[in-house]
Amino acid sequence: MFMRTILLSHYKDYPASEVVDLIKLLYQSEFAGSHMISDETASLRRLQAEIEQLRPADWAGQPLFREIGNGLCRLNLGPAAEAGLSAETINHLFIRASNQKQGSRPAFEEKLRLLQACCTEGLLPYPAAFVHEEMRRLREQGYPPVRHSNAYRAAYHPAYRIIQQEYLTFFSVFCRIDQLLNSTNDSQRPVTVAIDGMSGSGKSYLAALLTEIYDCNLFHMDDYFLRPEQRTPQRLAEIGGNIDYERFSSEISSRLKTGRPFTYRKY
C-alpha cells in the first residue's frame, strides 16, 4: 500500500510522466543507483558537470528530496547545492546508499505488478496491456536500468541522486561541515567537529557515518574514561567529570591545532 501511495503521488505531482518514468521510480526504489557507479571518481565528475549545468529555473519549486520507498529518496541537486552541500558529499551519500541497497528481481517484479494493478484499476492513465508488455520486455533484457522519457525531461529537468532517507536527519550537519571546509583558502586547515548528546542518541552512528563521507579521523570519548585513581567523589560530581579531559587535552585537542600527525593512547 505504501508503494501504491508513492506511485500515485508521483504521478499527481509529475503528470507528464510516461510509463517508463514510473518504472524508473520503482527501479530506483529497489536498486538505488548502483547501476551508475563503476568508478567513484567518474561518478563525481558526472555529478559536478550536472550541477554546473543546472539553472535555477530548472529546479524552481522542487523540494529538497522526494521519497521513493524502501528507505530511499531522490535528493534534488539544485536545492541541495543551494543549501551548501558539496558535490563530493552528495557523491559519497549516493555511493553509500547504492552499496547498501542491492535489491532483488522478485521484489522489483512485485512492484511492477503493483504498477500494472494501478493501471487496471484506472488509478493511472496507462493501458494495463502496455505496462504488461513493458514488463515482459524488461524481463527478457535482464531488467536493465531505464531512462526518463523525453517528455519527463522536458517538463521537469530531473537532476537528483538516490540517497538513503535517514541521511536527511543530518543534512544540516553535512552542509555546515562543507561550508566550513570551503570557507578557508588553506586546504590543510582541519575542521574539527564535536558530537554531543545523551546516551543512545545516535552519536556513534553519526560519527561512523562522517568517517565514510569525509576523509577524517574519529576520536571516541570512550577512550578517555577516568583512570581508577581519578574516580573520586569530587571528580564524579563535576559536569563532564567522568572523562579524563586532562589526557584528552594533552593527547588530542592540543595536537589537532598543529596539523601534524600524532599518536595517542586508547583507554
Side-chain angles (χ1 to χ4, degrees):
M1 184 61 67
F2 181 61
M3 278 307 305
R4 177 187 293 254
T5 300
I6 288 177
L7 274 173
L8 300 181
S9 174
H10 192 89
Y11 177 76
K12 178 183 176 182
D13 293 340
Y14 302 94
S17 297
E18 297 183 359
V19 170
V20 68
D21 299 302
L22 295 184
I23 290 177
K24 184 176 182 70
L25 175 73
L26 298 177
Y27 187 97
Q28 290 173 333
S29 76
E30 185 61 30
F31 300 108
S34 57
H35 63 282
M36 294 185 62
I37 309 174
S38 57
D39 181 284
E40 183 173 342
T41 301
S43 173
L44 176 59
R45 284 198 299 266
R46 287 194 299 270
L47 176 59
Q48 290 170 327
E50 195 169 343
I51 292 176
E52 289 173 0
Q53 293 172 4
L54 286 176
R55 300 172 300 174
D58 292 340
W59 49 271
Q62 289 287 340
L64 174 64
F65 71 96
R66 183 86 189 196
E67 187 176 4
I68 63 173
N70 198 22
L72 298 168
C73 68
R74 290 174 173 174
L75 179 70
N76 286 316
L77 300 183
E82 185 180 49
L85 201 64
S86 71
E88 290 80 5
T89 298
I90 295 173
N91 195 51
H92 283 132
L93 293 172
F94 169 58
I95 290 174
R96 192 172 191 271
S98 298
N99 289 340
Q100 291 191 346
K101 292 285 187 179
Q102 299 301 317
S104 70
R105 286 190 178 186
F108 179 50
E109 290 175 345
E110 182 64 27
K111 292 177 179 179
L112 290 175
R113 286 191 288 271
L114 174 62
L115 172 60
Q116 186 178 17
C118 288
C119 296
T120 300
E121 296 168 22
L123 300 175
L124 291 171
Y126 313 111
F130 178 72
V131 176
H132 178 76
E133 179 60 25
E134 283 294 290
M135 291 169 55
R136 184 195 62 78
R137 182 180 63 82
L138 287 171
R139 187 183 304 110
E140 289 179 352
Q141 295 177 358
Y143 294 118
V146 295
R147 294 175 56 85
H148 278 300
S149 67
N150 291 333
Y152 190 97
R153 290 178 179 276
Y156 308 118
H157 308 284
Y160 56 78
R161 288 298 183 273
I162 307 301
I163 70 168
Q164 288 183 249
Q165 192 168 349
E166 62 181 320
Y167 298 161
L168 296 174
T169 303
F170 308 112
F171 183 78
S172 61
V173 177
F174 301 141
C175 288
R176 183 58 179 148
I177 291 174
D178 288 351
Q179 290 164 1
L180 289 171
L181 289 171
N182 294 328
S183 66
T184 174
N185 294 324
D186 183 1
S187 61
Q188 300 302 312
R189 179 185 174 189
V191 170
T192 302
V193 177
I195 303 173
D196 192 15
M198 300 294 290
S199 177
S201 61
K203 301 184 298 297
S204 296
Y205 175 83
L206 173 57
L209 178 59
L210 292 179
T211 63
E212 295 191 29
I213 304 304
Y214 299 96
D215 179 15
C216 63
N217 298 294
L218 174 60
F219 305 103
H220 286 286
M221 294 310 294
D222 288 355
D223 293 330
Y224 288 88
F225 284 136
L226 292 179
R227 298 185 298 275
E229 67 273 14
Q230 295 174 301
R231 299 171 191 168
T232 64
Q234 295 80 5
R235 180 59 176 262
L236 294 176
E238 292 181 27
I239 296 177
N242 62 324
I243 294 296
D244 190 348
Y245 48 74
E246 296 93 345
R247 189 165 70 87
F248 185 83
S249 176
S250 64
E251 293 187 357
I252 302 294
S253 57
S254 63
R255 296 179 178 183
L256 285 176
K257 301 174 183 179
T258 69
R260 296 192 295 269
F262 64 87
T263 59
Y264 68 98
R265 295 173 296 152
K266 291 190 175 185
Y267 181 79

